[in-house]
Amino acid sequence: MKVIKRATFADKSAISTLRIEEFKRANEFLLVKPKRLLWGKCDDDNVVLGAWDGPDAVSTMRAVFIRNSDQATQCLQCTVPAQVAYPAIVLNSGATRMEYRGIGLNSALRYYVIEAAERDKIKSILGPIYKGAPRTNFMQKLGYTFITPTKSWQNKLNPKKVRLLALLKETQFNQAAALIKTSRSDILKEFTWAGDPLSFASVRSPQQA
């Protein structure tokens, strides 16, 4: 059975392994602190989504609830532009198993985050991305803008390409969700949502990512 669902503490080993294995394969950066990808308090306190093919976690993404610019700066470990409105969601720790890449799983996970963000009156969705990453073209179609931080001090990864912030404002949420729903309909049908509808209403504790 193929499903997308909210991951829990019971899934920590599968999610941690997926993150570390796929971050090690990345061309955009060198993973220098793999322990920072292990399931931790930030995962317990926020939302971690996973796509599962039977017993196997094949794609994941974390959504961190952010109240203000100080929390955004702490979470992203870089300067955050003034145009980001709050509350916001930071998407990070995304990983997809190599043989499942290119079929739209990242977009499917993003779809459920955008839907929940619109329902819960979130003002912005943002997250790190590296210049030239394959998904940037589709993200531009969704309405994302890409900003180069003036300073960045994250040390989990050693970037090989420029680290950007991708920003989606609330005015684009409805359009973005609709575009994913139509253009990624096959993968959304193949990997169906399992569990209660996603909500950020009770998520309140951002941590450094």
Side-chain angles (χ1 to χ4, degrees):
M1 187 175 183
K2 297 179 180 181
V3 300
I4 292 173
K5 64 178 183 178
R6 184 170 176 177
T8 68
F9 184 77
D11 303 312
K12 67 175 185 176
S13 178
I15 296 297
S16 297
T17 298
L18 177 61
R19 288 172 178 170
I20 292 171
E21 286 182 351
E22 298 310 325
F23 270 57
K24 284 181 177 178
R25 298 181 198 267
N27 295 320
E28 297 90 355
F29 51 76
L30 176 68
L31 176 62
V32 293
K33 295 191 176 182
K35 289 184 178 180
R36 294 276 298 278
L37 293 173
L38 295 173
W39 187 285
K41 190 177 188 306
C42 186
D43 302 294
D44 288 330
D45 291 342
N46 290 282
V47 169
V48 179
L49 295 183
W52 302 80
D53 188 351
D56 301 322
V58 298
S59 188
T60 186
M61 177 185 290
R62 181 169 62 197
V64 183
F65 183 89
I66 301 290
R67 287 193 186 92
N68 54 49
S69 60
D70 288 343
Q71 290 181 345
T73 300
Q74 178 189 0
C75 180
L76 290 162
Q77 296 184 277
C78 67
T79 52
V80 177
Q83 62 260 48
V84 177
Y86 302 92
I89 296 295
V90 166
L91 296 179
N92 59 22
S93 295
T96 299
R97 218 159 79 179
M98 179 175 285
E99 58 267 38
Y100 289 82
R101 294 180 188 175
I103 63 173
L105 278 174
N106 181 277
S107 295
L109 298 178
R110 191 179 304 274
Y111 170 76
Y112 290 109
V113 171
I114 295 171
E115 269 204 331
E118 186 172 24
R119 286 194 301 268
D120 292 341
K121 310 301 181 186
I122 301 298
K123 302 296 184 184
S124 307
I125 297 173
L126 68 159
I129 191 169
Y130 289 84
K131 190 172 184 179
R135 64 181 179 275
T136 54
N137 288 338
F138 184 65
M139 290 175 69
Q140 281 183 315
K141 293 178 182 178
L142 296 180
Y144 275 89
T145 56
F146 301 96
I147 303 155
T148 304
T150 54
K151 293 182 181 180
S152 179
W153 51 90
Q154 72 83 26
N155 56 14
K156 175 176 64 184
L157 310 171
N158 183 8
K160 298 178 182 179
K161 297 183 179 181
V162 177
R163 184 177 186 248
L164 307 173
L165 287 182
L167 171 63
L168 187 70
K169 297 182 178 181
E170 64 172 331
T171 53
Q172 302 296 321
F173 288 175
N174 186 267
Q175 170 192 310
L179 179 55
I180 296 174
K181 189 174 183 178
T182 55
S183 63
R184 302 292 187 265
S185 59
D186 289 348
I187 200 69
L188 288 168
K189 290 175 183 175
E190 184 179 358
F191 284 79
T192 56
W193 178 262
D196 294 332
L198 182 62
S199 175
F200 297 108
S202 62
V203 178
R204 292 290 181 269
S205 182
Q207 300 289 327
Q208 189 180 82

